[in-house]
Amino acid sequence: QVQLVESGGGSVQAGGSLRLSCAASGYTNIIYRLGWFRQAPGKEREGVAAIRFGGGSTFYADSVKGRFTISQDNAKNTLYLQMNSLKPEDTAMYYCAARVYSGTSYPLGRNEYDYWGQGTQVTVSS
């Protein structure tokens, strides 16, 4: 079992910044990749960014490239998502997810992940 707890969401005006955190616990030694996903009302959950656990390749959705940065603190088993130049269309519930054991050819695919956090709300006003 892997537990994921997100924090750092909130309300911000367009152009502002937020940093999300995700603390991983439990059997973290089996985690292969961590990702951030988001889901806006009435829309499907979409992949935002992903990173190889322990360091390595990163992946971003086209809609956030150049604005969002995924990173991790290995000592703290904590994942981050730095979000800059936020837009109203970034408004969503943001989820942290973990894929265990092995990789996938679709690192931003929501069906590729095994464990999920409870989510943290991000609201961007214009």
Side-chain angles (χ1 to χ4, degrees), residues 11-89:
S11 297
V12 64
Q13 288 192 328
S17 299
L18 282 174
R19 189 177 80 156
L20 306 183
S21 300
C22 172
S25 60
Y27 293 112
T28 58
N29 57 303
I30 65 173
I31 296 175
Y32 182 86
R33 182 177 287 131
L34 290 169
W36 286 102
F37 291 75
R38 66 186 181 186
Q39 187 168 18
K43 295 188 176 181
E44 292 188 348
R45 190 170 298 188
E46 63 173 354
V48 174
I51 188 169
R52 176 78 162 88
F53 191 59
S57 300
T58 57
F59 305 87
Y60 294 95
D62 288 343
S63 58
V64 306
K65 281 181 182 176
R67 300 189 299 121
F68 291 10
T69 303
I70 190 171
S71 63
Q72 58 189 325
D73 183 327
N74 296 330
K76 297 180 180 179
N77 284 335
T78 300
L79 178 72
Y80 301 102
L81 185 68
Q82 178 66 45
M83 305 185 295
N84 298 328
S85 302
L86 283 161
K87 304 175 181 180
E89 51 263 43

Side-chain angles (χ1 to χ4, degrees), residues 91-113:
T91 295
M93 185 72 79
Y94 283 71
Y95 297 90
C96 173
R99 178 178 172 86
V100 299
Y101 295 125
S102 64
T104 172
S105 59
Y106 193 26
L108 295 181
R110 65 181 185 272
N111 295 326
E112 306 297 323
Y113 286 78

